[in-house]
Amino acid sequence: VDLSALTCVEDYTIEGNALSAGDHYDLLVSLTCAEEGSLIVFSSDDADDFCATGETELENLYVNATGTDPIDLSCVEVVTGDLEIENSNAPSIDLGGLESVGGFAYIHDNEALLSVDVGALVSIGDYLYVTNNEDLKSVDMRSLETVKNEVYIYNSDNFEEIKLDSLREAGSSFNVSNNQVMESLSLPSLETVDGSFQIESNDQMRDITANALLSVEGTVYVYYNYDLETLSLGGFEEAASSLYIQYNTVLEDVDLSSLQTVASTLYIYENESMESLDLGGLTEIGGGFYLSYNDDLSDLNLDSLEEIDGELYFYDNDDIETISMPVLTEIGSSMMVSYNASLIDLSAPSLSSIGSSMYIQDNSSLDSVDVGSLTCVDDYTIEGNGLSEDDHYDLLVQITSGC
Protein backbone atom coordinates (compact mmCIF):
# COMPACT_ATOMS: atom_id res chain seq x y z
CA VAL A 1 0.00 0.00 0.00
CA ASP A 2 1.56 3.28 -1.10
CA LEU A 3 -0.18 6.33 0.34
CA SER A 4 3.03 8.23 0.96
CA ALA A 5 1.52 11.66 0.18
CA LEU A 6 -1.25 11.16 2.76
CA THR A 7 -0.08 12.24 6.19
CA CYS A 8 -3.16 12.73 8.35
CA VAL A 9 -6.31 10.59 8.51
CA GLU A 10 -8.49 11.13 11.57
CA ASP A 11 -10.49 7.89 11.33
CA TYR A 12 -9.37 4.70 9.65
CA THR A 13 -9.69 0.91 9.72
CA ILE A 14 -6.88 -1.14 8.19
CA GLU A 15 -7.25 -4.84 8.96
CA GLY A 16 -7.68 -8.25 7.40
CA ASN A 17 -5.12 -7.64 4.70
CA ALA A 18 -1.90 -9.51 3.75
CA LEU A 19 0.46 -6.75 4.90
CA SER A 20 3.44 -7.83 6.96
CA ALA A 21 3.55 -6.63 10.53
CA GLY A 22 6.28 -4.17 9.60
CA ASP A 23 4.44 -2.76 6.59
CA HIS A 24 1.22 -2.50 8.61
CA TYR A 25 3.05 -0.59 11.31
CA ASP A 26 4.71 1.78 8.80
CA LEU A 27 1.37 2.49 7.13
CA LEU A 28 -0.32 3.33 10.43
CA VAL A 29 2.51 5.65 11.42
CA SER A 30 2.38 7.47 8.09
CA LEU A 31 -1.40 8.01 8.20
CA THR A 32 -1.76 9.08 11.81
CA CYS A 33 -2.15 12.72 12.81
CA ALA A 34 0.44 13.28 15.53
CA GLU A 35 0.13 16.47 17.57
CA GLU A 36 3.12 18.06 19.24
CA GLY A 37 3.36 16.91 22.85
CA SER A 38 1.25 13.82 22.20
CA LEU A 39 2.24 10.18 21.82
CA ILE A 40 0.92 7.50 19.48
CA VAL A 41 1.92 3.95 20.37
CA PHE A 42 1.71 1.19 17.76
CA SER A 43 4.35 -1.09 19.27
CA SER A 44 6.22 -1.83 22.48
CA ASP A 45 9.25 -0.10 20.93
CA ASP A 46 7.29 3.15 20.66
CA ALA A 47 6.53 2.96 24.38
CA ASP A 48 10.11 2.07 25.30
CA ASP A 49 11.52 4.89 23.16
CA PHE A 50 9.29 7.46 24.87
CA CYS A 51 10.11 6.28 28.39
CA ALA A 52 13.81 6.37 27.54
CA THR A 53 13.54 10.15 27.04
CA GLY A 54 12.75 10.68 30.73
CA GLU A 55 9.54 12.55 29.89
CA THR A 56 6.51 11.87 32.11
CA GLU A 57 3.81 14.21 30.76
CA LEU A 58 1.81 14.09 27.54
CA GLU A 59 -0.96 16.11 25.96
CA ASN A 60 -2.78 13.13 24.41
CA LEU A 61 -1.95 9.44 24.53
CA TYR A 62 -3.23 7.05 21.87
CA VAL A 63 -2.43 3.33 22.02
CA ASN A 64 -3.17 1.06 19.04
CA ALA A 65 -0.73 -1.79 19.61
CA THR A 66 -0.42 -3.88 16.47
CA GLY A 67 2.06 -6.36 17.94
CA THR A 68 1.64 -9.00 20.63
CA ASP A 69 4.25 -7.72 23.09
CA PRO A 70 3.10 -6.11 26.38
CA ILE A 71 3.10 -2.31 26.38
CA ASP A 72 4.98 -0.65 29.26
CA LEU A 73 4.09 3.02 29.67
CA SER A 74 4.53 3.09 33.43
CA CYS A 75 6.75 6.17 33.04
CA VAL A 76 3.74 8.33 32.10
CA GLU A 77 2.41 10.32 35.06
CA VAL A 78 0.17 12.98 33.51
CA VAL A 79 -1.99 13.14 30.39
CA THR A 80 -3.36 16.68 30.15
CA GLY A 81 -5.72 15.78 27.32
CA ASP A 82 -7.23 12.44 26.30
CA LEU A 83 -6.27 8.80 26.77
CA GLU A 84 -7.50 6.32 24.16
CA ILE A 85 -6.70 2.63 23.83
CA GLU A 86 -8.23 0.83 20.86
CA ASN A 87 -7.64 -2.06 18.44
CA SER A 88 -4.76 -3.35 20.52
CA ASN A 89 -3.35 -6.85 20.17
CA ALA A 90 -0.99 -6.48 23.12
CA PRO A 91 -2.03 -8.71 26.06
CA SER A 92 -1.41 -6.00 28.66
CA ILE A 93 -0.87 -2.27 28.94
CA ASP A 94 0.94 -0.90 31.98
CA LEU A 95 0.07 2.69 32.84
CA GLY A 96 0.74 2.09 36.51
CA GLY A 97 2.39 5.49 37.04
CA LEU A 98 -0.42 7.56 35.51
CA GLU A 99 -2.03 9.88 38.09
CA SER A 100 -4.32 12.17 36.11
CA VAL A 101 -6.10 12.45 32.77
CA GLY A 102 -7.37 15.93 31.96
CA GLY A 103 -9.79 14.82 29.25
CA PHE A 104 -11.49 11.49 28.58
CA ALA A 105 -10.28 7.93 29.12
CA TYR A 106 -11.61 5.62 26.41
CA ILE A 107 -10.72 1.90 26.27
CA HIS A 108 -12.61 0.26 23.44
CA ASP A 109 -12.68 -2.30 20.65
CA ASN A 110 -9.58 -4.19 21.70
CA GLU A 111 -9.67 -7.78 20.45
CA ALA A 112 -6.71 -9.37 22.27
CA LEU A 113 -6.06 -7.02 25.20
CA LEU A 114 -6.46 -8.85 28.54
CA SER A 115 -5.58 -6.29 31.21
CA VAL A 116 -4.95 -2.58 31.75
CA ASP A 117 -3.16 -1.25 34.83
CA VAL A 118 -3.95 2.37 35.72
CA GLY A 119 -3.84 1.69 39.45
CA ALA A 120 -2.38 5.09 40.40
CA LEU A 121 -4.90 7.16 38.42
CA VAL A 122 -6.74 9.61 40.72
CA SER A 123 -8.84 11.81 38.43
CA ILE A 124 -10.41 11.93 34.96
CA GLY A 125 -11.46 15.35 33.68
CA ASP A 126 -14.13 14.11 31.29
CA TYR A 127 -15.70 10.66 30.80
CA LEU A 128 -14.55 7.08 31.36
CA TYR A 129 -15.64 4.47 28.80
CA VAL A 130 -14.60 0.81 28.83
CA THR A 131 -16.57 -0.87 26.06
CA ASN A 132 -16.59 -3.54 23.34
CA ASN A 133 -13.38 -5.26 24.38
CA GLU A 134 -13.56 -8.86 23.24
CA ASP A 135 -11.03 -10.54 25.57
CA LEU A 136 -10.40 -7.86 28.21
CA LYS A 137 -10.69 -9.36 31.70
CA SER A 138 -9.68 -6.59 34.11
CA VAL A 139 -8.97 -2.90 34.52
CA ASP A 140 -7.24 -1.70 37.67
CA MET A 141 -8.38 1.80 38.66
CA ARG A 142 -8.20 1.28 42.40
CA SER A 143 -6.99 4.84 43.14
CA LEU A 144 -9.51 6.67 40.95
CA GLU A 145 -11.51 9.17 43.03
CA THR A 146 -13.40 11.41 40.60
CA VAL A 147 -14.75 11.27 37.07
CA LYS A 148 -16.16 14.62 35.96
CA ASN A 149 -18.67 13.15 33.53
CA GLU A 150 -20.09 9.69 32.83
CA VAL A 151 -18.69 6.27 33.67
CA TYR A 152 -19.69 3.56 31.20
CA ILE A 153 -18.49 -0.04 31.55
CA TYR A 154 -20.38 -2.12 29.00
CA ASN A 155 -20.52 -4.68 26.19
CA SER A 156 -17.40 -6.69 27.01
CA ASP A 157 -18.10 -10.43 26.82
CA ASN A 158 -15.15 -11.65 28.92
CA PHE A 159 -14.79 -8.71 31.28
CA GLU A 160 -14.55 -9.92 34.88
CA GLU A 161 -13.45 -7.03 37.06
CA ILE A 162 -12.95 -3.30 37.31
CA LYS A 163 -11.35 -2.06 40.50
CA LEU A 164 -12.92 1.24 41.57
CA ASP A 165 -12.16 1.05 45.28
CA SER A 166 -11.61 4.80 45.74
CA LEU A 167 -14.22 6.27 43.39
CA ARG A 168 -16.20 8.93 45.32
CA GLU A 169 -18.03 10.82 42.61
CA ALA A 170 -19.33 10.34 39.09
CA GLY A 171 -20.26 13.74 37.69
CA SER A 172 -22.76 12.34 35.23
CA SER A 173 -24.14 8.84 34.61
CA PHE A 174 -22.73 5.61 36.03
CA ASN A 175 -23.51 2.59 33.86
CA VAL A 176 -22.35 -1.03 34.10
CA SER A 177 -24.23 -3.07 31.50
CA ASN A 178 -23.98 -6.12 29.26
CA ASN A 179 -20.79 -7.57 30.71
CA GLN A 180 -21.59 -11.26 30.42
CA VAL A 181 -19.15 -12.83 32.93
CA MET A 182 -18.75 -10.03 35.48
CA GLU A 183 -19.77 -11.50 38.85
CA SER A 184 -19.49 -8.61 41.29
CA LEU A 185 -19.37 -4.83 41.46
CA SER A 186 -17.89 -3.21 44.54
CA LEU A 187 -18.02 0.57 44.98
CA PRO A 188 -17.03 1.02 48.63
CA SER A 189 -16.28 4.76 48.39
CA LEU A 190 -18.89 6.02 45.91
CA GLU A 191 -20.98 8.78 47.52
CA THR A 192 -22.73 10.71 44.76
CA VAL A 193 -23.76 10.28 41.14
CA ASP A 194 -24.95 13.46 39.44
CA GLY A 195 -26.78 11.60 36.69
CA SER A 196 -28.33 8.14 36.42
CA PHE A 197 -27.05 4.96 38.10
CA GLN A 198 -27.65 1.92 35.91
CA ILE A 199 -26.65 -1.71 36.45
CA GLU A 200 -28.28 -3.75 33.71
CA SER A 201 -28.10 -7.06 31.86
CA ASN A 202 -24.96 -8.47 33.46
CA ASP A 203 -25.88 -12.13 33.15
CA GLN A 204 -23.57 -13.53 35.86
CA MET A 205 -23.57 -10.56 38.25
CA ARG A 206 -24.19 -11.91 41.77
CA ASP A 207 -23.32 -9.04 44.06
CA ILE A 208 -23.62 -5.25 43.92
CA THR A 209 -22.28 -3.30 46.88
CA ALA A 210 -22.26 0.50 47.21
CA ASN A 211 -22.94 1.14 50.88
CA ALA A 212 -21.35 4.62 50.91
CA LEU A 213 -23.67 5.88 48.16
CA LEU A 214 -25.82 8.70 49.57
CA SER A 215 -27.63 10.21 46.60
CA VAL A 216 -28.26 9.84 42.89
CA GLU A 217 -29.54 12.85 40.96
CA GLY A 218 -30.85 10.83 38.03
CA THR A 219 -32.78 7.58 37.79
CA VAL A 220 -31.53 4.41 39.50
CA TYR A 221 -31.93 1.26 37.41
CA VAL A 222 -31.03 -2.23 38.62
CA TYR A 223 -32.60 -4.69 36.22
CA TYR A 224 -32.18 -7.78 34.05
CA ASN A 225 -29.32 -9.11 36.18
CA TYR A 226 -30.62 -12.67 36.24
CA ASP A 227 -28.02 -14.12 38.65
CA LEU A 228 -28.02 -11.17 41.06
CA GLU A 229 -28.40 -12.35 44.67
CA THR A 230 -27.42 -9.32 46.76
CA LEU A 231 -28.02 -5.59 46.30
CA SER A 232 -26.49 -3.63 49.15
CA LEU A 233 -27.13 0.13 49.18
CA GLY A 234 -27.19 0.46 52.95
CA GLY A 235 -26.26 4.16 53.09
CA PHE A 236 -28.47 5.33 50.20
CA GLU A 237 -30.70 8.20 51.39
CA GLU A 238 -32.05 10.07 48.38
CA ALA A 239 -33.19 9.12 44.90
CA ALA A 240 -33.65 12.53 43.27
CA SER A 241 -35.57 10.92 40.40
CA SER A 242 -36.97 7.38 40.05
CA LEU A 243 -35.78 4.05 41.44
CA TYR A 244 -36.31 0.82 39.49
CA ILE A 245 -35.41 -2.64 40.76
CA GLN A 246 -36.85 -5.22 38.40
CA TYR A 247 -36.35 -8.53 36.58
CA ASN A 248 -33.61 -9.75 38.92
CA THR A 249 -34.85 -13.33 39.10
CA VAL A 250 -32.80 -14.72 42.01
CA LEU A 251 -32.33 -11.50 43.99
CA GLU A 252 -32.86 -12.32 47.68
CA ASP A 253 -31.18 -9.61 49.76
CA VAL A 254 -31.92 -5.92 49.22
CA ASP A 255 -30.61 -3.31 51.65
CA LEU A 256 -32.28 0.10 51.21
CA SER A 257 -32.70 0.63 54.94
CA SER A 258 -31.44 4.26 54.88
CA LEU A 259 -33.57 5.42 51.95
CA GLN A 260 -35.63 8.47 52.96
CA THR A 261 -37.04 10.01 49.79
CA VAL A 262 -37.75 9.03 46.20
CA ALA A 263 -38.54 12.15 44.18
CA SER A 264 -40.44 10.32 41.45
CA THR A 265 -41.43 6.67 40.85
CA LEU A 266 -40.46 3.71 43.05
CA TYR A 267 -40.77 0.51 41.05
CA ILE A 268 -40.04 -2.91 42.59
CA TYR A 269 -41.11 -5.45 39.98
CA GLU A 270 -40.64 -9.15 39.28
CA ASN A 271 -37.84 -9.97 41.68
CA GLU A 272 -39.19 -13.45 42.18
CA SER A 273 -36.85 -14.63 44.96
CA MET A 274 -36.78 -11.48 47.11
CA GLU A 275 -38.06 -12.42 50.56
CA SER A 276 -37.68 -9.15 52.45
CA LEU A 277 -37.63 -5.45 51.63
CA ASP A 278 -36.65 -2.99 54.33
CA LEU A 279 -37.84 0.52 53.47
CA GLY A 280 -38.20 1.47 57.11
CA GLY A 281 -36.59 4.90 56.66
CA LEU A 282 -38.65 5.93 53.61
CA THR A 283 -40.91 8.91 54.31
CA GLU A 284 -41.98 10.28 50.94
CA ILE A 285 -42.44 9.16 47.33
CA GLY A 286 -42.89 11.99 44.83
CA GLY A 287 -44.50 9.77 42.19
CA GLY A 288 -46.08 6.33 42.15
CA PHE A 289 -45.15 3.28 44.23
CA TYR A 290 -45.35 -0.01 42.32
CA LEU A 291 -44.70 -3.33 44.07
CA SER A 292 -45.62 -6.24 41.83
CA TYR A 293 -44.80 -9.86 40.94
CA ASN A 294 -42.34 -10.36 43.77
CA ASP A 295 -43.42 -13.93 44.40
CA ASP A 296 -41.44 -14.73 47.58
CA LEU A 297 -41.75 -11.35 49.29
CA SER A 298 -43.05 -11.94 52.82
CA ASP A 299 -41.47 -9.17 54.91
CA LEU A 300 -42.09 -5.53 53.97
CA ASN A 301 -41.17 -2.57 56.19
CA LEU A 302 -42.92 0.73 55.39
CA ASP A 303 -43.12 2.02 58.95
CA SER A 304 -42.09 5.63 58.19
CA LEU A 305 -43.89 6.21 54.88
CA GLU A 306 -46.05 9.35 55.18
CA GLU A 307 -46.93 10.44 51.66
CA ILE A 308 -47.21 9.06 48.12
CA ASP A 309 -47.83 11.80 45.55
CA GLY A 310 -48.76 9.40 42.78
CA GLU A 311 -50.55 6.06 42.86
CA LEU A 312 -49.99 3.07 45.11
CA TYR A 313 -50.04 -0.23 43.23
CA PHE A 314 -49.43 -3.50 45.11
CA TYR A 315 -50.22 -6.36 42.76
CA ASP A 316 -49.61 -10.12 42.66
CA ASN A 317 -47.06 -10.55 45.45
CA ASP A 318 -47.91 -14.15 46.32
CA ASP A 319 -46.35 -14.64 49.78
CA ILE A 320 -46.91 -11.35 51.56
CA GLU A 321 -49.29 -11.66 54.52
CA THR A 322 -49.15 -8.18 56.04
CA ILE A 323 -48.94 -4.72 54.53
CA SER A 324 -48.60 -2.11 57.23
CA MET A 325 -48.21 1.62 56.62
CA PRO A 326 -48.87 3.07 60.08
CA VAL A 327 -48.11 6.74 59.35
CA LEU A 328 -49.20 7.04 55.71
CA THR A 329 -51.60 10.00 55.45
CA GLU A 330 -51.98 10.72 51.75
CA ILE A 331 -52.03 9.01 48.35
CA GLY A 332 -52.13 11.59 45.56
CA SER A 333 -53.73 9.36 42.96
CA SER A 334 -55.35 5.90 43.02
CA MET A 335 -54.74 2.98 45.38
CA MET A 336 -54.72 -0.61 44.13
CA VAL A 337 -54.07 -3.65 46.30
CA SER A 338 -54.98 -6.71 44.25
CA TYR A 339 -54.17 -10.39 43.64
CA ASN A 340 -51.91 -10.80 46.66
CA ALA A 341 -52.89 -14.39 47.39
CA SER A 342 -51.55 -14.68 50.96
CA LEU A 343 -52.39 -11.18 52.16
CA ILE A 344 -54.28 -11.30 55.46
CA ASP A 345 -53.93 -7.82 56.91
CA LEU A 346 -53.89 -4.41 55.18
CA SER A 347 -53.30 -1.57 57.59
CA ALA A 348 -53.04 2.18 56.91
CA PRO A 349 -54.81 3.66 59.96
CA SER A 350 -53.63 7.24 59.37
CA LEU A 351 -54.58 7.40 55.68
CA SER A 352 -57.05 10.28 55.26
CA SER A 353 -56.85 11.19 51.57
CA ILE A 354 -56.85 9.34 48.24
CA GLY A 355 -56.75 11.53 45.14
CA SER A 356 -58.55 9.11 42.85
CA SER A 357 -59.94 5.57 42.93
CA MET A 358 -59.51 2.77 45.47
CA TYR A 359 -59.26 -0.87 44.41
CA ILE A 360 -58.94 -3.63 46.96
CA GLN A 361 -59.82 -6.78 45.12
CA ASP A 362 -59.09 -10.47 44.67
CA ASN A 363 -56.89 -10.85 47.74
CA SER A 364 -58.48 -14.16 48.66
CA SER A 365 -57.07 -14.38 52.21
CA LEU A 366 -57.56 -10.74 53.18
CA ASP A 367 -59.79 -10.61 56.28
CA SER A 368 -58.68 -7.34 57.89
CA VAL A 369 -58.52 -3.83 56.41
CA ASP A 370 -57.76 -0.82 58.57
CA VAL A 371 -58.07 2.56 56.87
CA GLY A 372 -59.74 4.12 59.90
CA SER A 373 -59.02 7.76 59.03
CA LEU A 374 -60.35 7.52 55.48
CA THR A 375 -63.92 8.84 55.26
CA CYS A 376 -64.52 9.89 51.65
CA VAL A 377 -63.65 7.89 48.53
CA ASP A 378 -65.75 8.73 45.47
CA ASP A 379 -64.73 5.77 43.32
CA TYR A 380 -63.95 2.36 44.76
CA THR A 381 -63.99 -1.36 44.05
CA ILE A 382 -63.73 -3.69 47.02
CA GLU A 383 -64.47 -7.28 46.10
CA GLY A 384 -63.10 -10.81 45.92
CA ASN A 385 -61.36 -10.61 49.29
CA GLY A 386 -61.69 -12.72 52.45
CA LEU A 387 -63.60 -10.09 54.45
CA SER A 388 -66.71 -11.17 56.33
CA GLU A 389 -69.97 -9.62 55.18
CA ASP A 390 -70.09 -7.41 58.28
CA ASP A 391 -66.51 -6.20 57.87
CA HIS A 392 -67.09 -5.54 54.18
CA TYR A 393 -70.21 -3.53 54.99
CA ASP A 394 -68.49 -1.55 57.74
CA LEU A 395 -65.60 -0.71 55.44
CA LEU A 396 -67.92 0.59 52.71
CA VAL A 397 -69.85 2.71 55.20
CA GLN A 398 -66.67 4.16 56.64
CA ILE A 399 -65.01 5.22 53.36
CA THR A 400 -68.19 6.93 52.16
CA SER A 401 -69.39 8.48 55.43
CA GLY A 402 -67.75 11.86 54.84
CA CYS A 403 -68.69 12.29 51.16
Side-chain angles (χ1 to χ4, degrees):
V1 177
D2 184 1
L3 298 171
S4 54
L6 192 61
T7 58
C8 182
V9 178
E10 295 283 355
D11 186 18
Y12 54 81
T13 300
I14 301 173
E15 60 184 14
N17 306 298
L19 290 169
S20 69
D23 288 342
H24 188 199
Y25 172 84
D26 290 341
L27 179 58
L28 294 178
V29 170
S30 69
L31 293 177
T32 303
C33 312
E35 300 176 4
E36 186 175 353
S38 297
L39 176 65
I40 298 171
V41 175
F42 291 115
S43 72
S44 59
D45 289 341
D46 293 337
D48 294 342
D49 290 346
F50 174 78
C51 288
T53 68
E55 296 290 331
T56 60
E57 183 173 322
L58 291 165
E59 181 174 345
N60 298 305
L61 174 58
Y62 176 73
V63 182
N64 181 344
T66 59
T68 58
D69 293 329
I71 301 296
D72 184 355
L73 286 165
S74 57
C75 64
V76 178
E77 296 177 1
V78 177
V79 175
T80 59
D82 301 327
L83 167 64
E84 183 172 7
I85 301 171
E86 71 166 329
N87 296 325
S88 291
N89 292 315
S92 64
I93 296 175
D94 184 354
L95 283 161
L98 182 62
E99 296 177 0
S100 68
V101 174
F104 62 70
Y106 191 18
I107 303 171
H108 67 103
D109 297 289
N110 297 284
E111 293 186 0
L113 183 63
L114 299 177
S115 67
V116 180
D117 180 1
V118 276
L121 182 64
V122 174
S123 64
I124 296 174
D126 198 343
Y127 61 76
L128 167 63
Y129 274 37
V130 181
T131 179
N132 295 317
N133 300 287
E134 187 171 328
D135 290 333
L136 184 64
K137 294 184 180 298
S138 66
V139 174
D140 185 351
M141 291 186 169
R142 68 182 66 196
S143 300
L144 183 63
E145 296 180 4
T146 60
V147 179
K148 186 174 182 180
N149 290 314
E150 61 266 31
V151 176
Y152 272 55
I153 314 296
Y154 67 103
N155 287 352
S156 296
D157 289 346
N158 292 292
F159 193 64
E160 297 176 356
E161 180 183 34
I162 184 164
K163 294 180 180 178
L164 292 169
D165 298 355
S166 302
L167 184 64
R168 293 185 289 103
E169 180 182 1
S172 184
S173 303
F174 184 96
N175 185 311
V176 177
S177 301
N178 296 301
N179 302 291
Q180 304 308 318
V181 300
M182 190 175 184
E183 294 187 359
S184 67
L185 178 64
S186 178
L187 301 165
S189 303
L190 185 64
E191 297 177 357
T192 59
V193 177
D194 290 340
S196 62
F197 181 83
Q198 183 167 339
I199 315 295
E200 174 193 359
S201 300
N202 302 286
D203 287 351
Q204 296 184 38
M205 181 81 71
R206 290 179 170 81
D207 178 75
I208 299 169
T209 305
N211 284 319
L213 185 62
L214 298 173
S215 64
V216 175
E217 291 299 313
T219 301
V220 177
Y221 302 93
V222 181
Y223 52 19
Y224 298 109
N225 302 289
Y226 294 119
D227 281 357
L228 184 64
E229 297 175 357
T230 302
L231 174 62
S232 186
L233 301 174
F236 188 46
E237 296 178 357
E238 179 187 8
S241 184
S242 297
L243 171 58
Y244 292 83
I245 301 174
Q246 61 183 6
Y247 301 113
N248 303 291
T249 309
V250 299
L251 179 62
E252 295 181 0
D253 299 317
V254 179
D255 186 356
L256 289 166
S257 55
S258 297
L259 184 63
Q260 298 173 14
T261 60
V262 178
S264 188
T265 302
L266 175 57
Y267 201 85
I268 313 292
Y269 186 90
E270 205 161 323
N271 304 287
E272 298 169 6
S273 301
M274 184 174 63
E275 296 181 358
S276 65
L277 180 61
D278 184 357
L279 296 170
L282 183 63
T283 61
E284 182 179 356
I285 299 172
F289 183 14
Y290 302 90
L291 186 75
S292 302
Y293 300 107
N294 303 290
D295 293 347
D296 291 347
L297 182 63
S298 58
D299 183 12
L300 175 65
N301 184 351
L302 296 170
D303 286 352
S304 300
L305 185 59
E306 299 174 2
E307 182 178 349
I308 300 170
D309 289 348
E311 63 181 340
L312 181 149
Y313 189 93
F314 291 173
Y315 188 93
D316 204 356
N317 303 286
D318 288 344
D319 284 358
I320 196 162
E321 296 183 358
T322 300
I323 297 174
S324 176
M325 298 171 285
V327 296
L328 181 66
T329 59
E330 180 180 354
I331 297 173
S333 185
S334 59
M335 171 182 177
M336 173 178 282
V337 180
S338 298
Y339 296 98
N340 302 287
S342 301
L343 184 62
I344 296 170
D345 179 36
L346 173 62
S347 176
S350 302
L351 182 62
S352 59
S353 174
I354 293 179
S356 184
S357 305
M358 171 188 273
Y359 303 92
I360 303 174
Q361 58 189 132
D362 296 305
N363 304 287
S364 56
S365 301
L366 182 62
D367 61 18
S368 175
V369 177
D370 181 2
V371 286
S373 300
L374 191 62
T375 58
C376 182
V377 180
D378 290 325
D379 184 19
Y380 55 85
T381 301
I382 301 174
E383 61 184 14
N385 305 298
L387 292 168
S388 68
E389 288 186 13
D390 288 344
D391 287 343
H392 189 195
Y393 174 82
D394 290 343
L395 179 58
L396 295 178
V397 170
Q398 177 206 314
I399 64 175
T400 58
S401 62
C403 298

